[in-house]
Amino acid sequence: MSQEIQLTSQFRTSVDHAVEVGKKISMITYVMGDIGEAKLKYILFRILGSVGREDLMELFYTAAKELIVNSTKAAIKRIIFEELKLNIQNLNDYEEGMKLFKTSLNERKFPTYKKKMRETGLYVKITCIYQKDKIDLEIRNNFPLLPIEAERVKEKFINAKKYDNLFEFFMEHGDSTEGAGMGITMVEILLSQSGFDRRLLSIYSSERKKETVARVEVHLSEIPKSTETHEQLFVE
């Protein structure tokens, strides 16, 4: 069993103070390791404790982890395309590069790209915004979705609706989910199993702002019924 990570008193004090005054909390990661996971867990534990919803720890922690992995893969993908000298904007190059990306990359190889992410200025930013009746979790990349990525995200949102529970999902996919973008489906199922509207997960991409944001917005008092739109992907 791995040794429990001991966080610094300075980090814990900073988080504790932020939670006491209701200030949003952000952290930046390149490739999240054990220390990053421990920090994320502590932040979520303190926030959920402050609103009396420690029961939602598994939902938020797992959702954050899945969306962070998706965002990290998106960043590493761009680095790999540069290394292969493939034009990620070109459809033929994209298909060729994705074949290698899916077969060669797994989470065990992530740490080798940590330095490269720093050097290229790519990062993943996690932000928690919270009130007594609402918690927003945001996972942000500092680049927009490509058109082909936006189409595939839309397909994943549609496909996720086929599954009502994680057991059903894993029975169908088994161990073939590596690199398959299962994060969206996982988060939707977790929201649904926790009694929330699965459409509380959305993804926003802006070419103008050069960013992509995956957002989970959980209303703790009551779940608002959407009367305007069922869209979960917003691209500008």
Side-chain angles (χ1 to χ4, degrees), residues 67 145 153 157 184 201-205 212-215 232-235:
L67 295 173
L145 291 172
V153 167
F157 273 127
I184 286 174
L201 167 64
S202 62
I203 294 179
Y204 163 80
S205 175
T212 302
V213 185
R215 183 177 291 116
Q232 291 172 272
L233 174 65
F234 304 89
V235 179

Side-chain angles (χ1 to χ4, degrees), residues 65-81:
K65 284 284 301 295
E66 289 296 327
L67 295 173
I68 289 167
V69 167
N70 273 12
S71 295
T72 303
K73 284 181 178 179
I76 293 174
K77 180 203 302 184
R78 283 154 173 79
I79 294 172
I80 289 176
F81 271 71

Side-chain angles (χ1 to χ4, degrees), residues 44-160:
L44 292 173
F45 177 76
R46 292 291 289 114
I47 288 173
L48 292 170
S50 73
V51 297
R53 292 306 303 266
E54 295 93 336
D55 59 302
L56 296 179
M57 184 66 184
E58 182 179 359
L59 166 63
F60 275 99
Y61 181 67
T62 305
K65 284 284 301 295
E66 289 296 327
L67 295 173
I68 289 167
V69 167
N70 273 12
S71 295
T72 303
K73 284 181 178 179
I76 293 174
K77 180 203 302 184
R78 283 154 173 79
I79 294 172
I80 289 176
F81 271 71
E82 284 289 328
E83 291 176 341
L84 295 174
K85 301 190 185 311
L86 292 172
N87 181 2
I88 200 169
Q89 301 281 354
N90 178 277
L91 184 58
N92 291 332
D93 279 7
Y94 185 85
E95 295 294 344
E96 180 183 345
M98 285 304 294
K99 289 177 185 177
L100 179 61
F101 177 73
K102 289 179 178 179
T103 56
S104 65
L105 182 68
N106 59 50
E107 291 179 39
R108 290 186 297 277
K109 294 183 181 179
F110 277 17
T112 62
Y113 286 93
K114 187 170 188 175
K115 181 180 178 182
K116 293 179 181 179
M117 282 183 67
R118 286 181 180 272
E119 291 173 346
T120 56
L122 300 178
Y123 60 80
V124 178
K125 184 176 183 180
I126 305 103
T127 301
C128 296
I129 306 168
Y130 50 97
Q131 303 166 355
K132 65 178 181 180
D133 59 349
K134 186 172 183 282
I135 299 177
D136 292 352
L137 172 68
E138 297 180 351
I139 311 298
R140 185 181 312 265
N141 281 124
N142 57 338
F143 50 81
L145 291 172
L146 301 167
I148 191 171
E149 289 175 322
E151 284 301 314
R152 293 186 177 178
V153 167
K154 188 182 297 184
E155 291 172 4
K156 288 169 188 173
F157 273 127
I158 294 171
N159 186 60

